[in-house]
Amino acid sequence: MSGSPRFLTLADVAEVLNTSSAQVYALVRRGDLPAIKIGGRGQWRVESSQLEEFIQRMYAETRTFVDQHPYVESDS
């Protein structure tokens, strides 16, 4: 098996998103970012494809926000 790993740790996801592991944990616990809990210690793993879908969803939500809240430059 070559290429990117199928599953990422929360720390890996945090690195990709340039945020903290705590923020990623919050996304997982809120159900915003699908993940699985594995092993006796209950370690979280996020599937790479789920992370990509999450990123695309955030792009779409941001586009909607920008469309609904246009930037207006002041004349000063």
Side-chain angles (χ1 to χ4, degrees), residues 17-34:
L17 297 177
N18 195 27
T19 190
S20 69
S21 293
Q23 179 62 38
V24 174
Y25 178 75
L27 290 170
V28 167
R29 291 298 306 212
R30 283 196 311 259
D32 295 334
L33 178 59

Side-chain angles (χ1 to χ4, degrees), residues 17-72:
L17 297 177
N18 195 27
T19 190
S20 69
S21 293
Q23 179 62 38
V24 174
Y25 178 75
L27 290 170
V28 167
R29 291 298 306 212
R30 283 196 311 259
D32 295 334
L33 178 59
I36 59 172
K37 198 172 179 183
I38 60 167
R41 295 176 56 204
Q43 298 179 6
W44 291 98
R45 294 294 182 268
V46 176
E47 194 165 5
S48 298
S49 61
Q50 290 293 332
L51 176 56
E52 288 306 316
E53 287 178 25
F54 171 78
I55 292 169
Q56 292 308 312
R57 224 172 29 253
M58 292 302 99
Y59 272 121
E61 287 181 19
T62 301
R63 250 185 255 99
T64 299
F65 175 84
V66 168
D67 290 345
Q68 293 174 353
H69 303 88
Y71 177 74
V72 179

Side-chain angles (χ1 to χ4, degrees), residues 1-15:
M1 189 168 173
S2 62
S4 301
R6 180 174 177 181
F7 290 96
L8 304 168
T9 65
L10 297 188
D12 293 336
V13 173
E15 187 174 327

